[in-house]
């Protein structure tokens, strides 16, 4: 089906944004929006955004050369002489805010159900699970990769086509006010908060600050929308208690609206559990391991139930979801080594939750070997959180612990305090050193768990283990 973009004129965009008209024909129609002048801009409206490192106003010529049909710029900027007189040029006070304004307008041009997902951990996985479920029934859009901020989310909404009926939008943040702004743009029918944990505490002033920033979703969401929250997560529920509105809770504890009962681990194949809701019980299969994914599945199921999705469709979607790269991803290597690649990212909540699943995966006598990289953006809490991480590693019964980064010595100290023999710990500088150190320590049948913040690049260790040991048999 045709994009409605092609039906929208420059004049209509200018009216919607109350933009200043600088030049061009108001009847021009754009094929979409471009923000990167290095990419093809054919027939698109080039939106001049100012980032931390670049100001797109410096690349207007390049955008024009790449085929842009129009430019949206900041009012008052001196523009270079434009070689193409046919070019539409619009100006607004704040191009970034205007991007959100147009996206919010665009979202309402289509009869659509929107689910928004935020939280300290599990946003992407929960979003993908919801999208897998909903797309079994209706055409569904969801954000790709990390397009979850005040630029990525509007750009995702611009991909909506007239036959989309659902959108699942991840909302990320590292500053106060971001979730409020994203909620206003997305105008969700269902808002999900997966959890609150010590992530981004640097910018937000501790756990209470993180919780306050996440519940901006509840502050701003439409009063008729459903709010879905993790009822097992104490800091979140404390923040939710401040609101006088009904919420749907999910979790393992009795009393949650959507609850998991009789959870059975199936090793690296995931879980089965009974989903209990409204006096009914439905058997669910999650095809990915890691207990965190049962919470994510419950959050996804609760969101889908708010949209009246049939439980059979939810069960099918959860069964079909096959996990995501670098998120508790299972690899079978040569020498019967089982690698759990969780290198996509890390924060203390994610680490604590994921470590609890290792013992089950090691059943049958595998030794546990853990490689952790620094968890970033924790501010002055960092030394304490890394010592805690070391302590938690010890509790898994790990045979070897490799810690990499500036906080390696904190992790090492925590592990020693908790009783791990010092000669079973290696503190190293970075991912490359971890790879070099880990290889000679590994034995046949080991379970290797790797995790660290994205910028620590522990995926290098994962790739290095593949190169060293090769692919193995599924066992
Ligand atoms: P986000 O998008 O919030 O960063 P992801 O779904 O990408 O979350 O998962 C990133 C990591 O967070 C995973 O690799 C896993 O270690 C951890 N994680 C995922 N879901 C949860 C959860 N529900 N609770 C705690 N940790 C989780």
């Amino acid at each position: 089906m045709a994009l409605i973009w092609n039906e929208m004129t420059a004049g209509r965009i200018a009216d919607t944004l109350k933009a200043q008209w600088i030049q061009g024909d108001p009847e021009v129609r754009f094929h979409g929006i471009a923000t990167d002048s290095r990419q093809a801009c054919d027939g698109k409206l080039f939106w001049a955004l100012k980032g931390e490192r670049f100001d797109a106003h410096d690349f207007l010529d390049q955008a024009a050369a790449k085929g842009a049909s129009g430019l949206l710029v900041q009012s008052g900027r001196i523009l270079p002489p434009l070689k193409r007189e046919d070019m539409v040029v619009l100006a607004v006070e704040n191009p970034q805010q205007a991007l959100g304004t147009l996206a919010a307008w665009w979202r309402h041009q289509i009869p659509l159900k929107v689910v928004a997902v935020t939280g300290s951990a599990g946003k992407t996985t929960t979003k993908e699970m919801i999208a897998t479920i909903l797309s079994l029934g209706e055409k569904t859009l969801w954000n790709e990769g990390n397009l979850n901020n005040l630029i990525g989310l509007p750009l995702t909404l611009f991909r909506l086509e007239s036959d989309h009926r659902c959108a699942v939008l991840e909302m990320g943040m590292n500053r106060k006010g971001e979730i409020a702004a994203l909620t206003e743009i997305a105008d969700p029918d269902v808002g999900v908060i997966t959890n609150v944990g010590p992530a981004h505490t640097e910018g937000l002033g501790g756990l209470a600050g993180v919780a306050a920033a996440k519940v901006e979703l509840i502050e701003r969401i439409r009063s008729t929308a459903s709010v879905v929250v993790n009822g097992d997560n104490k800091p979140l529920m404390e923040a939710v208690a401040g609101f006088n509105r009904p919420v749907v809770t999910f979790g393992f504890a009795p009393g949650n609206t959507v609850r998991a009962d009789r959870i059975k681990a199936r090793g690296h194949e995931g879980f089965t559990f009974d989903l209990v809701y409204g006096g009914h019980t439905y058997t669910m299969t999650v095809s990915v391991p890691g207990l965190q994914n049962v919470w994510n599945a419950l959050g996804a199921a609760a969101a889908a139930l708010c949209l009246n999705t049939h439980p059979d469709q939810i069960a099918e979607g959860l069964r079909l979801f096959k996990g995501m790269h670098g998120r508790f991803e299972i690899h079978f290597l040569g020498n019967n080594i089982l690698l759990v690649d969780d290198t996509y990212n890390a924060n203390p909540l994610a680490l604590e939750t994921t470590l609890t699943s290792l013992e089950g995966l090691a059943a049958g006598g595998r030794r546990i070997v853990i490689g952790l990289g620094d968890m970033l953006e924790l501010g002055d809490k960092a030394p304490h959180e890394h010592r805690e991480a070391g302590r938690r590693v010890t509790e898994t019964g790990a045979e070897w612990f490799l810690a990499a980064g500036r906080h390696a010595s904190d992790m090492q100290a925590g592990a020693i305090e908790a009783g791990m023999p010092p000669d079973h710990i290696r503190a190293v500088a970075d991912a490359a050193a971890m790879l070099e150190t880990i290889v000679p320590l590994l034995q046949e049948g080991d379970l290797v768990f790797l995790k660290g913040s994205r910028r620590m690049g522990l995926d290098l260790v994962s790739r290095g283990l593949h190169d060293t040991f090769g692919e193995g048999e599924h066992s």
Side-chain angles (χ1 to χ4, degrees), residues 121-125 170 195 292 296 327 342 344 350 353-354 451:
K123 291 179 289 299
T124 306
T125 307
E170 174 179 332
N195 46 42
Q292 71 276 10
N296 295 337
R327 279 110 167 158
D342 206 30
Y344 175 75
T353 315
T354 45
K451 188 165 186 66

Side-chain angles (χ1 to χ4, degrees), residues 119-126 146 148 170 194-195 230 291-293 295-296 324 326-328 341-347 349-351 353-354 449 451:
S120 296
K123 291 179 289 299
T124 306
T125 307
T126 305
N146 265 355
N148 66 6
E170 174 179 332
T194 60
N195 46 42
N230 181 339
L291 201 58
Q292 71 276 10
N293 285 317
W295 268 291
N296 295 337
M324 306 202 59
R327 279 110 167 158
F328 217 83
D341 178 345
D342 206 30
T343 58
Y344 175 75
N345 220 339
N347 64 45
L349 172 68
L351 179 67
T353 315
T354 45
F449 177 72
K451 188 165 186 66

Side-chain angles (χ1 to χ4, degrees), residues 65-274:
K66 289 270 181 148
S69 298
L71 305 173
L72 183 134
V73 298
Q74 189 178 22
S75 313
R77 296 291 293 250
I78 315 263
L79 303 179
L82 293 170
K83 292 185 194 95
R84 284 176 31 207
E85 280 166 16
D86 60 329
M87 191 98 158
V88 169
V89 182
L90 308 176
V92 293
E93 290 274 294
N94 181 335
Q96 187 189 309
Q97 220 168 44
L99 192 72
T101 307
L102 192 67
W105 175 82
W106 186 247
R107 173 245 180 278
H108 286 288
Q109 301 312 298
I110 297 154
L112 192 70
K113 292 290 180 201
V114 173
V115 184
V117 184
T118 190
S120 296
K123 291 179 289 299
T124 306
T125 307
T126 305
K127 170 204 67 179
E128 298 276 332
M129 284 179 171
I130 298 170
T132 310
I133 294 167
L134 297 184
S135 51
L136 291 172
E138 289 183 291
K139 184 164 168 183
T140 303
L141 174 82
W142 60 97
N143 8 28
E144 277 170 12
N146 265 355
L147 291 176
N148 66 6
N149 63 12
L150 283 164
I151 295 169
L153 183 133
L155 291 178
T156 301
L157 284 172
F158 292 135
R159 287 180 32 233
L160 279 170
E161 296 174 13
S162 51
D163 54 349
H164 275 115
R165 288 296 165 266
C166 301
V168 192
L169 303 172
E170 174 179 332
M171 305 197 304
M173 61 104 198
N174 45 28
R175 267 180 288 118
K176 208 165 156 276
E178 255 174 305
I179 294 295
L182 290 166
T183 305
E184 282 188 0
I185 297 168
D187 185 17
D189 297 277
V190 183
V192 183
I193 309 180
T194 60
N195 46 42
V196 164
H200 300 299
T201 42
E202 191 171 40
L204 293 162
L207 198 57
V210 178
K214 300 292 180 198
V215 297
E216 287 172 14
L217 173 84
I218 309 180
E219 257 161 50
R220 293 299 170 94
I221 201 166
R222 210 186 322 131
S223 62
T224 52
S226 306
V227 173
V228 173
V229 292
N230 181 339
D232 295 345
N233 186 258
K234 214 166 147 239
L236 173 58
M237 292 314 289
E238 278 167 8
V240 167
F243 293 88
N244 185 21
R245 74 172 284 157
V247 293
V248 173
T249 62
F250 67 88
F252 300 174
N256 279 303
T257 328
V258 178
R259 185 165 64 84
D261 199 12
R262 302 201 313 142
I263 302 170
K264 287 201 192 78
R266 301 185 304 137
H268 59 80
E269 289 178 351
F271 298 88
T272 58
F273 66 93
D274 284 349

